[in-house]
Amino acid sequence: MKKAKFLANFENLDSIRKLVGEVAEQAGFSCNETYSIELATDEACSNIIEHAYAGQPQGVIDISCDADDGQITVVIHDHGKQFDMSKVPKPNLSKKLSEREVGGLGVFLMYKLMDEIHFSSSKKSGNTLTMTKRKSDPS
Amino acid sequence: METVVKEFKHCNVIEIKGRVDSSTAPQLSHTLEEICDDGRFKLVLDLTGLEYMSSAGFRALLATQRTCKRYNRGEVVLASVPVRIREALELAGFTELFKIYENALAAVGNF
């Protein structure tokens, strides 16, 4: 398992992706799967930095990542603003260029790239996002 | 992330190299905005050297496409899109918004 804390700064996204990418590679996920896991984690953390910790660059993002029995689990925790992921509208992909919304794309990609996503939020304990993905060809 | 801009008779080719995420996407947006501010709206984005792009990068592409297609004055096309990035663009429904070419030469020929 790898764990680390990062300050809420976009400059840290590279290191965040590297953390989960290394766990995925060591666990034998394919290059494509590893990329998906890195991208989903990036999207989640970008939202935390931009929305949960908006204006709080000293906010802390806790990340832990573990892989076991063909499945990787990424747990991301923050103490930023309470956030309800279910309220993020899905982008309408059939809209034409001039009407296409840009909001919600990150959350949408997370759901597409990972197998399961669970989210909990409370004033006391903060926001916790858990994402899992199974290897497509478990050995 | 690094961009290399080349101006041709009918279009500009912008090579985007490295990683585009929430940290580097503003830099990409700025480069693309400057090109449009110069009155150049026919753009080929050569993604040969692009290693990674998140939705922050997709948003920059979308904003530029809107600008370029306004008044039918031009468009953004993509060239040499790495497989993983193409798959992510497909998931996001972006492949319908951009013509995609095998390489920059073919893309320049579009103009």
Side-chain angles (χ1 to χ4, degrees):
Chain A
M1 178 196 271
K2 280 194 190 244
K3 287 173 89 154
K5 292 179 193 287
F6 297 92
L7 288 180
N9 187 320
F10 290 134
E11 306 285 332
N12 288 326
L13 287 173
D14 229 8
S15 303
I16 289 169
R17 289 193 298 266
K18 195 171 172 207
L19 184 151
V20 301
E22 282 174 0
V23 174
E25 276 172 15
Q26 277 163 25
F29 281 82
S30 69
C31 289
N32 278 4
E33 289 166 333
T34 299
Y35 184 89
S36 296
I37 293 159
E38 289 178 349
L39 180 53
T41 305
D42 175 321
E43 299 291 352
C45 293
S46 290
N47 276 338
I48 291 169
I49 293 165
E50 186 165 350
H51 301 294
Y53 280 135
Q56 297 177 58
Q58 297 307 308
V60 174
I61 302 173
D62 275 293
I63 301 194
S64 70
C65 185
D66 198 9
D68 187 36
D69 196 28
Q71 175 168 289
I72 194 167
T73 302
V74 183
V75 183
I76 305 172
H77 180 79
D78 70 83
H79 279 278
K81 259 183 266 186
Q82 266 194 282
F83 176 60
D84 185 349
M85 261 179 67
S86 65
K87 292 218 163 91
V88 176
K90 255 197 206 170
N92 186 335
L93 303 188
S94 60
K95 280 189 173 171
K96 58 183 187 189
L97 176 68
S98 55
E99 294 166 0
R100 191 71 73 98
E101 306 113 348
V102 291
L105 198 49
V107 172
F108 177 76
L109 282 174
M110 283 160 57
Y111 276 104
K112 286 281 184 183
L113 295 166
M114 301 299 281
D115 293 335
E116 283 185 32
I117 294 187
H118 297 283
F119 185 75
S120 64
S121 180
S122 77
K123 265 194 186 151
K124 191 176 170 190
S125 25
N127 303 310
T128 302
L129 174 72
T130 305
M131 304 190 289
T132 59
K133 190 173 183 68
R134 292 205 65 82
K135 255 194 263 182
S136 55
D137 260 339
S139 47
Chain B
M1 188 213 56
E2 187 198 335
T3 51
V4 177
V5 183
K6 294 177 188 166
E7 189 168 314
F8 293 88
K9 189 174 177 187
H10 296 294
C11 66
N12 281 31
V13 175
I14 301 104
E15 293 171 24
I16 306 174
K17 301 177 188 183
R19 297 180 287 272
V20 181
D21 61 13
S22 299
S23 166
T24 54
Q27 188 188 328
L28 174 63
S29 289
H30 181 70
T31 298
L32 296 173
E33 277 163 18
E34 277 192 332
I35 293 169
C36 292
D37 285 347
D38 279 343
R40 304 286 291 182
F41 302 107
K42 296 177 181 176
L43 309 185
V44 174
L45 303 188
D46 183 347
L47 306 186
T48 309
L50 185 63
E51 296 164 18
Y52 175 88
M53 185 177 268
S54 71
S55 65
F58 297 174
R59 284 191 287 275
L61 298 190
L62 180 66
T64 310
Q65 185 69 302
R66 281 181 172 147
T67 300
C68 288
K69 282 200 161 186
R70 205 170 288 147
Y71 316 122
N72 268 338
R73 57 192 175 185
E75 68 175 319
V76 175
V77 303
L78 308 180
S80 194
V81 184
V83 169
R84 275 171 231 148
I85 291 165
R86 183 171 185 149
E87 285 170 358
L89 284 168
E90 272 171 13
L91 278 181
F94 271 47
T95 45
E96 298 155 17
L97 305 178
F98 297 86
K99 286 183 193 148
I100 296 179
Y101 293 87
E102 279 284 310
N103 52 59
L105 192 61
V108 168
N110 166 71
F111 294 114

